[in-house]
């Protein structure tokens, strides 16, 4: 423990109110920073002292000011350098203090200039003794007695760049709640040695700062969108839905569009909305009888439908694309289901990536995830569809839902789901879902 | 969804009452529409071009209503009003009848063979005793535009031409001629032009130039003449000035030329029914039972009530003599009704979707996870527990990303190429997850080191054995980016993954690594991983050139494995 700390404590003990750190530094003849250091380390020990930061202004001599304090003002030096017989002006001007000193000495009337003197203009002293007021003032400031000068005088010297006003930070030191002149070091942490020896019973421990944060654990993280996906997946599984294999981004137009009754000239099949593949450009395997049935329904109608009545082309259906919806997979699954000997009711789901070839902006990307659910059974109703959606959203904590009629080429009826809270309809961005019901 | 813009006050006047914005929004919701925006011409100009340009523009309130894509009958004010009025049971659905002209034979449109080369189909109709107000006229023109943009697929499938019947005389001829042989004064021009001249004239017209390509390169262009040789129109580009419609027009001749006859008929029906109750067109009839509707929707309503509900939707219905069946008449305005389930939907809409009781289906099923996804989910959790952070990157990228930047040749990659990318960022489907992760690191350079990222997701590879010629491959990829490459960290991660997959270190049935040469990695710092005798991937320190090309500055090590063999 440093002598500075001990002396400081002794001083604080003796005084009734408090001490200014600058004063302490001056009286001890040490650098103020040493006192500041002592203050800081005492503070670290606990509430031994309290130190309030203060700042005060204080006049100091500039470099030039110091020079003058030492050697006298320029004008005084001019006078003392001139001998009885005077000095040529040109010679005086050559001296370092000549220029500034000359004009000041002239205005003080300490010298006079004889312009017409033979051999050139000549300067003569007019006084023998002078009072170097400037130097005196500076000396006063140097001695710490700046208060004896008037503000006007100080500002004038400041203008001449001989004085500067300096802000000095100091501490006002008073006794703290645990003041004592003996410094006992406080421990920071319990150690195994202390536990073993029991020495912790005699030690004082530094208080914890409960305001600060702890150390953040260095852990890995899961992606927020994937966490949402996990949550939805869990909900589907809880509701008895089996996961479909959607690990095929590339799909044929047949499964993606035609088998879902989307006509071949539909705008969604445009170059603008769908990514087509140049390699591999075409799919080459289809269940032939099913393909024929699809062709028929599109062009002539069938199964109670009038169809779209146009020429259906297989070349269109063969075109490979990046799937625009996972419903293409659902179509494949339903086809498989239909091939079974005996029909069994199923509930399928998937959550996976789909693609669309659109201009990107702040809310639209070319790739996003789609959530899909399919229920196939006898006797399903629209009420059942809405019921399932209701339960699904319930598990997300969304209980208030409204359904709105919508249009979709391959679902009928179709609806959009809106969730609302006390009258306000929430933004139906990701909640806009198409509900598919196979009856 | 197409958007129709209507003047609110005109709409309310036609509906016979005013609504608050909320009330109208609610009405739209029930009917399946969406009130997208309430604005005015002034607002629109202000937003697009600034307040000064908007000075003096109209303040009249406009409703922008989103209409379902298959409801062509709701694309104009008249159609909307009609739909809503019938829905609210304020009026009966109109009946459209064809009438014969009082004094003469019906008009004829003769189609010649030449048109098969360019635009084979045409249908036409005549509307008599019309009165146009300015609003009606504007609405008429706008409906044509709406239909052109939507069901006509920008005039490629169908083009509509409307003419003042009293300025021309039938019979009319629809034919096709070489462009040099067609000469007429087009709409709003002062002199005559040949078809070729018109093609160049309209190249700079902001509206028409988009349609020129439809016939430009054909040897013959479509053209319609009257009996005196006057050109009515040159579809799908422009009408003739001679037969143009004005506010004084009393009788209208409508022609629709097309490449799709079904669509042409639908469009003609729309044009005709929207404004005028004076033509008969094909009404279709469907019979279904009340029970069918009740069962599908999940309600139990009487036959009479269901008939009423359908009538509210412009599908006039009557209970048949057996008390069970309903005969539904589908008007020409409802070309969207093509199956009994469409009728069922309309019944449900009229009932109100939100009035249907929500029930749970009795379908009992036991859920199964897809094994590949189950594995991925488990691995994800453990990789995060190991201190790595999950990234989610794009499946589409540029060719450089998977080839040049990884110091590989594109032909080695078995990548699938996109034929119509909008930008270079969508040229190929990724064959590796590494590029995405390195781009993620580059975007997060300012974050404190080390950066530890992973992704378990699909890449796409060509595969001739699949029906589409390609398949997805589920991979696990991790990178470690720090002042030192951290090979031992990535190696340790790989050991951990093997531990999780219950594959022990060692030859034979276990896993081991051996040195390998791979241009993506730093020479001597790359190893191939073998599990149960098969190569499953690589790990190593990335080559400095790769680091540079991804705009990174620190050393980086990476792990890339196929997890499908572990199911």
């Amino acid at each position: 423990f440093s002598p500075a700390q001990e002396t400081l404590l002794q001083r604080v003990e003796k005084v009734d109110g408090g001490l200014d750190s600058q004063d302490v530094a001056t009286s001890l003849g040490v650098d103020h920073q040493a006192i500041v250091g002592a203050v800081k380390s005492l503070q670290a020990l606990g509430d031994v002292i309290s130190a309030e930061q203060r700042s005060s202004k204080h006049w100091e001599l500039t470099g030039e000011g110091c020079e003058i304090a030492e050697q006298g003002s320029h004008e005084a030096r001019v006078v003392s350098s001139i001998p009885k017989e005077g000095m040529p002006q040109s010679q005086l001007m050559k001296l370092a203090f000549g220029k500034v000193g000359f004009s000041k000495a002239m205005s003080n009337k300490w010298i006079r200039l004889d312009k017409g003197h033979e051999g050139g203009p000549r300067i003569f002293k007019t006084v023998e003794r002078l009072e170097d007021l400037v130097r005196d003032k500076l000396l006063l400031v140097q001695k710490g007695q700046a208060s004896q000068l008037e503000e006007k005088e100080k500002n004038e010297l400041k203008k001449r760049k001989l004085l500067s006003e300096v802000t000095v930070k100091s501490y006002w030191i008073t006794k703290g709640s645990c003041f004592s002149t003996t410094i006992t070091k406080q421990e920071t942490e319990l150690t195994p040695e202390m536990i073993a020896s029991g020495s912790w019973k005699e030690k004082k421990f530094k208080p914890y700062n409960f305001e600060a944060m702890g150390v953040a654990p260095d852990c890995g993280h899961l992606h927020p969108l994937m966490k949402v996906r996990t949550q939805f997946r869990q909900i589907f599984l809880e509701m008895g839905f089996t996961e479909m294999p959607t690990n095929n981004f590339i799909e044929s137009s047949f499964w993606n569009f035609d088998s879902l009754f989307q006509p071949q000239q539909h705008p969604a099949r445009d170059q603008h909305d769908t990514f087509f593949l140049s390699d591999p450009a075409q799919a080459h395997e289809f269940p032939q009888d099913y393909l024929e049935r699809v062709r028929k329904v599109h062009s002539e109608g069938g199964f109670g439908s009038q169809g779209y009545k146009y020429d259906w082309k297989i070349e269109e259906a063969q075109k490979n694309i990046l799937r625009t919806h996972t419903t293409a997979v659902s179509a494949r699954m339903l086809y498989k289901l239909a091939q079974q000997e005996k029909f069994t009711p199923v509930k399928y789901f998937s959550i996976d990536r789909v693609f669309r070839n659109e201009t990107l902006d702040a809310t639209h990307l070319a790739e996003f995830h789609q959530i899909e659910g399919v229920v196939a059974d006898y006797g399903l109703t629209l009420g059942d569809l809405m019921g399932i959606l209701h339960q699904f959203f319930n598990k997300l904590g969304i209980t208030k839902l409204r359904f709105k009629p919508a249009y979709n080429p391959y679902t009928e009826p179709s609806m959009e789901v809106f969730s609302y809270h006390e009258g306000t309809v929430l933004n139906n961005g990701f909640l806009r879902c198409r509900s598919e019901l196979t009856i | 969804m197409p958007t129709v813009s209507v003047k609110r006050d005109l709409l309310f006047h036609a509906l016979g009452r005013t609504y608050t914005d909320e009330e109208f929004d609610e009405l739209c919701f029930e009917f399946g529409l969406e009130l997208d925006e309430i604005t005015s011409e002034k607002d629109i100009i202000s937003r697009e071009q600034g307040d000064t340009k908007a000075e003096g523009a109209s303040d009249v309130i406009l409703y922008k209503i989103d209409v379902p894509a298959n409801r062509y009958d709701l694309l104009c004010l008249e159609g909307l009003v009609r739909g809503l009025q019938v829905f609210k049971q304020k009026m009966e659905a109109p009946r459209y009848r064809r009438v014969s002209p009082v004094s003469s034979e019906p008009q004829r449109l003769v189609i010649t063979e030449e048109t098969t080369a360019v635009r084979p189909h045409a249908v036409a109709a005549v509307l008599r005793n019309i009165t146009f107000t300015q609003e009606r006229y504007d609405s008429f023109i706008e409906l044509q535009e709406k239909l052109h943009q939507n069901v006509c697929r920008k005039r490629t499938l169908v083009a509509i031409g409307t003419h003042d019947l009293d300025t021309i005389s039938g019979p009319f001829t629809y034919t096709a001629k070489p462009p040099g042989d067609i000469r007429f004064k087009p709409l709003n021009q002062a002199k005559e032009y040949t078809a070729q001249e018109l093609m160049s004239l309209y190249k700079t017209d902001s509206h028409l130039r988009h349609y020129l390509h439809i016939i430009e390169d054909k040897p013959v262009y479509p053209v319609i003449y009257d009996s005196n040789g006057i050109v009515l129109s040159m579809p799908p580009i422009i009408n003739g000035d001679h037969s143009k419609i004005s506010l004084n027009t009393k009788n209208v001749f409508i022609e629709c030329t097309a490449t799709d006859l079904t669509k042409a008929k639908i469009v003609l029906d729309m044009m005709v029914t929207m404004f005028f109750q004076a033509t008969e067109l094909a009404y279709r009839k469907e019979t279904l039972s009340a029970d069918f509707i009740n069962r599908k929707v999940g309600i139990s309503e009487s036959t009479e009530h269901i008939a009423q509900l359908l009538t509210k939707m412009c599908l006039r219905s009557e209970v048949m003599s057996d008390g069970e069946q309903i005969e539904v008449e589908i008007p020409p305005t409802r070309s969207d009704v093509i199956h009994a389930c469409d009728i069922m939907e309309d019944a449900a809409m009229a009932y109100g979707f939100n009035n249907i009781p929500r029930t749970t289906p009795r379908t009992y099923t036991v859920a199964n996870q897809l094994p590949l996804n189950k594995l991925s989910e488990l691995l994800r959790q453990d990789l995060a527990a190991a201190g790595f952070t999950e990234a989610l990157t794009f499946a589409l990228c540029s060719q450089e990303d998977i080839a040049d930047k990884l110091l590989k040749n594109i032909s080695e990659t078995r990548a699938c190429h996109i034929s119509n990318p909008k930008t270079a960022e969508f040229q190929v489907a990724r064959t590796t997850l590494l590029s995405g992760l390195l781009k993620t690191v580059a975007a997060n350079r300012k974050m404190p080191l080390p950066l530890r990222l992973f992704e378990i997701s699909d890449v796409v590879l060509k595969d001739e054995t699949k029906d589409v010629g390609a398949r997805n491959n589920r991979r696990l990829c991790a990178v470690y980016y720090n002042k030192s490459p951290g090979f031992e960290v990535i190696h340790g991660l790989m050991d951990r993954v093997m531990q999780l997959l219950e594959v022990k270190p060692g030859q034979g049935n276990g896993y081991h690594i051996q040195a390998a040469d791979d241009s993506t990695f730093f020479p001597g710092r790359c190893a191939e991983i073998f599990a149960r005798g098969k190569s499953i991937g690589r790990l190593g320190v990335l080559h400095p050139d790769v680091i540079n090309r991804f705009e990174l500055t620190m050393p980086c090590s990476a792990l890339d494995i196929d997890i499908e063999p572990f199911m």
Side-chain angles (χ1 to χ4, degrees), chain B residues 293-553:
Chain B
I293 305 254
N294 277 329
R295 267 188 301 116
K296 294 298 185 195
V297 177
I299 51 177
S300 52
E301 292 294 312
S302 68
T303 319
E304 288 74 27
H305 194 218
I306 293 192
Q308 250 179 9
L309 290 176
L310 291 172
T311 309
K312 252 173 85 162
M313 301 300 290
C314 284
L315 298 172
R316 189 181 288 213
S317 304
E318 267 170 23
V319 179
M320 291 172 78
S321 46
D322 67 352
E324 252 303 299
Q325 303 273 72
I326 303 174
E327 189 180 68
V328 183
E329 196 185 59
I330 306 162
T333 43
R334 295 301 305 275
S335 54
D336 59 298
V337 175
I338 47 185
H339 192 278
C341 61
D342 297 305
I343 299 175
M344 182 260 289
E345 183 187 38
D346 272 31
M349 275 170 64
Y351 187 83
F353 276 17
N354 293 300
N355 295 329
I356 302 173
R358 298 167 192 181
T359 50
T360 319
R362 284 180 310 253
T363 317
Y364 177 76
T365 50
V366 170
N368 285 317
Q369 299 186 49
L370 192 69
L372 186 57
N373 288 356
K374 187 172 175 189
L375 178 63
S376 305
E377 286 287 299
L378 291 170
L379 283 174
R380 278 177 64 223
Q381 306 282 343
D382 281 307
L383 283 180
F388 278 69
T389 295
E390 190 178 25
L392 178 64
T393 62
F394 289 125
L396 301 178
C397 58
S398 68
Q399 274 190 196
E400 282 81 46
D401 284 335
I402 55 165
D404 308 6
K405 287 193 193 171
L406 294 175
L407 307 178
K408 292 243 153 61
N409 208 307
I410 187 74
S411 48
E412 303 169 43
T413 59
R414 282 160 66 204
C416 294
H417 293 255
I418 313 277
S419 66
N420 57 334
K422 278 214 171 87
T423 71
E425 284 304 303
F426 308 128
Q427 287 171 327
V428 292
R430 68 185 174 197
T431 53
T432 171
L433 297 173
L434 187 56
S435 322
L437 284 183
L438 292 176
K439 280 159 98 167
T440 308
V441 172
N444 287 284
R445 260 182 307 230
K446 300 227 166 69
M447 298 298 280
L449 295 175
L451 285 177
R452 290 179 287 233
L453 301 179
F454 79 91
E455 187 169 8
I456 302 179
S457 186
D458 286 348
V459 303
V460 182
L461 299 168
K462 275 179 71 171
D463 183 342
E464 268 128 32
T465 63
K466 293 279 176 191
D467 63 345
V468 294
R471 66 179 164 88
N472 282 13
N473 178 227
R474 186 68 53 90
R475 302 191 76 86
L476 181 159
C477 186
V479 296
Y480 178 88
Y481 180 78
N482 198 9
K483 292 207 168 67
S484 68
F487 181 87
E488 67 285 359
V489 175
I490 277 292
H491 188 182
L493 187 71
M494 194 261 307
D495 290 331
R496 174 67 180 144
V497 170
M498 289 298 134
Q499 189 182 41
L500 292 165
L501 293 169
E502 292 179 10
V503 183
K504 291 196 166 29
Q507 305 262 1
N509 222 17
Y511 76 95
H512 70 276
I513 65 175
Q514 65 192 46
D517 277 324
D518 187 317
S519 47
T520 306
F521 293 93
F522 197 57
R525 297 262 186 278
C526 170
E528 189 153 357
I529 309 163
F530 291 89
R532 298 181 185 139
K534 266 186 60 183
S535 166
I536 56 159
R538 303 229 158 131
L539 80 162
V541 177
L542 292 179
H543 195 286
D545 281 343
V546 172
I547 293 177
N548 280 328
R549 287 175 192 203
F550 279 95
E551 293 170 23
L552 301 175
T553 51

Side-chain angles (χ1 to χ4, degrees), chain A residues 243 265 357 382 384 412, chain B residues 153 296 345 359 373 422:
Chain A
E243 201 168 18
Q265 345 99 322
N357 190 9
L382 198 55
D384 287 332
E412 191 80 5
Chain B
R153 297 293 304 283
K296 294 298 185 195
E345 183 187 38
T359 50
N373 288 356
K422 278 214 171 87

Side-chain angles (χ1 to χ4, degrees), chain B residues 137-205:
Chain B
Y137 178 83
D138 291 339
S139 198
F140 187 67
I141 302 295
E142 228 196 280
L143 177 62
Q144 283 179 66
E145 248 326 286
K146 277 265 158 4
L147 290 171
H148 273 155
Q149 291 305 313
N150 292 305
V151 62
C152 302
R153 297 293 304 283
K154 298 201 174 91
R155 303 194 192 182
T156 51
L157 291 184
V158 185
I160 310 163
T162 51
H163 312 273
D164 186 332
L165 184 60
D166 299 323
T167 63
I168 46 183
S169 54
F172 304 100
T173 311
Y174 172 47
T175 182
K177 281 190 169 173
D181 294 348
I182 302 173
R183 191 185 172 81
F184 66 105
K185 185 161 91 155
L187 193 62
N188 296 330
Q189 293 291 337
K191 66 181 184 96
E192 285 191 353
Y193 291 87
T194 64
Q196 285 156 330
E197 287 168 344
L198 285 177
M199 286 292 142
S200 354
L201 179 69
Y202 290 136
K203 272 218 172 13
T204 50
D205 183 298

Side-chain angles (χ1 to χ4, degrees), chain A residues 281-293:
Chain A
Q282 290 188 328
H284 46 72
E285 226 183 271
F286 302 101
Q288 276 304 121
D289 56 338
Y290 185 52
L291 184 134
E292 278 312 309
R293 292 211 295 275

Side-chain angles (χ1 to χ4, degrees), chain A residues 176-189:
Chain A
S177 57
C178 302
F179 181 75
S180 121
T181 49
T182 47
I183 301 169
T184 45
K185 179 161 179 271
Q186 287 185 324
E187 301 294 335
T188 43
E189 290 303 349

Side-chain angles (χ1 to χ4, degrees), chain B residues 182-289:
Chain B
I182 302 173
R183 191 185 172 81
F184 66 105
K185 185 161 91 155
L187 193 62
N188 296 330
Q189 293 291 337
K191 66 181 184 96
E192 285 191 353
Y193 291 87
T194 64
Q196 285 156 330
E197 287 168 344
L198 285 177
M199 286 292 142
S200 354
L201 179 69
Y202 290 136
K203 272 218 172 13
T204 50
D205 183 298
S206 58
H207 180 55
L208 294 175
R209 65 169 189 215
H210 302 289
Y211 308 120
L212 300 179
H213 72 96
I214 302 171
I215 55 170
E216 205 168 13
D217 296 325
K218 302 271 189 280
V220 289
Y221 290 179
V223 60
I224 303 182
Y225 292 100
D226 80 344
S227 59
N228 295 325
I230 295 177
V231 171
L232 269 65
S233 63
M234 186 175 74
I237 311 295
I238 190 85
N239 287 352
D241 193 70
H242 182 100
S243 54
K244 69 177 178 232
I245 301 218
S246 70
L247 286 181
N248 298 321
T249 304
K250 290 273 162 256
N251 298 297
V252 179
F253 177 70
I254 308 177
E255 35 89 356
C256 296
T257 56
T259 51
D260 179 330
L261 182 59
T262 311
K263 286 269 148 58
K265 289 183 186 167
I266 292 175
V267 167
L268 189 66
D269 284 353
M270 288 306 134
M271 283 302 297
V272 150
T273 54
M274 276 310 100
F275 294 88
F276 313 105
Q277 258 101 314
T279 41
E280 176 197 282
L281 305 137
Y283 277 79
R284 293 169 286 146
K285 283 199 167 31
E286 283 274 342
T287 314
L288 36 74
S289 66

